[in-house]
Amino acid sequence: MAVHWFPSPRGAREGLRFLALAALTAATACSNGSAPTPTPTPSASARAGTTITVTEKEYSLALSPSQATSGTVTFVVDNAGTVAHALAIAGPGVTNAHTSTIPPGGRARLTVAIRPGSYELWCPIAKHKELGMDTRLQVRGNGSASPTPGSAAASATKH
């Protein structure tokens, strides 16, 4: 490092100002001028909900798992049968949640906000319910605020 001699106090002040300006410039060049942004933590409502697989065939419904905790539940419905099926669900706060018709070998998703209680799941096509495509799902509380009941979304695809 070179040492400079300033012959007058004015020169020394200008030299110090220069050094201060150089230090400030270097410090701001390494910054974008904003405070660091903290990494957000997902809220309970943003976390993934429960997924239940429903296997449909002539003429039964199998749930895996067969119980759930209140909150958002996505039913993944697999039609393992040889005729078209669908899935409908009703229970506390849920009255008209259902998939579209699922072709043989097809799959559908139905996402529902549920609360504690007993829910009936069935195939709403023709007389499939009466032929045995009807089951129940017990939902227990999760210890936090209940979700808004009744909201549902559905989609169907063929594999």
Side-chain angles (χ1 to χ4, degrees), residues 86-111:
L87 180 72
I89 181 171
V94 178
T95 56
N96 192 24
H98 58 85
T99 66
S100 59
T101 301
I102 309 164
R107 174 178 279 179
R109 291 180 173 272
L110 176 62
T111 301

Side-chain angles (χ1 to χ4, degrees), residues 5 14 22 45 48-50 52 54-55 66 78 82 96 98-99 101 106-108 114 117 131-132 137:
W5 173 254
E14 287 177 5
S45 62
T50 301
I52 296 177
V54 181
T55 304
S66 60
D78 287 319
T82 58
N96 192 24
H98 58 85
T99 66
T101 301
R107 174 178 279 179
I114 59 176
L131 293 170
L137 173 68

Side-chain angles (χ1 to χ4, degrees), residues 42-136:
S43 66
S45 62
R47 293 187 188 118
T50 301
T51 299
I52 296 177
T53 300
V54 181
T55 304
E56 295 183 316
K57 59 184 176 181
E58 293 78 26
Y59 286 93
S60 66
L61 294 176
L63 305 178
S64 179
S66 60
Q67 293 186 356
T69 302
S70 63
T72 301
V73 175
T74 298
F75 296 92
V76 177
V77 188
D78 287 319
N79 183 350
T82 58
V83 300
H85 294 296
L87 180 72
I89 181 171
V94 178
T95 56
N96 192 24
H98 58 85
T99 66
S100 59
T101 301
I102 309 164
R107 174 178 279 179
R109 291 180 173 272
L110 176 62
T111 301
V112 183
I114 59 176
R115 57 187 184 205
S118 180
Y119 290 79
E120 182 179 22
L121 287 82
W122 72 95
C123 178
I125 294 179
K127 296 192 180 269
H128 292 192
K129 180 178 179 180
E130 291 80 7
L131 293 170
M133 295 186 77
D134 185 30
T135 192
R136 296 201 94 44

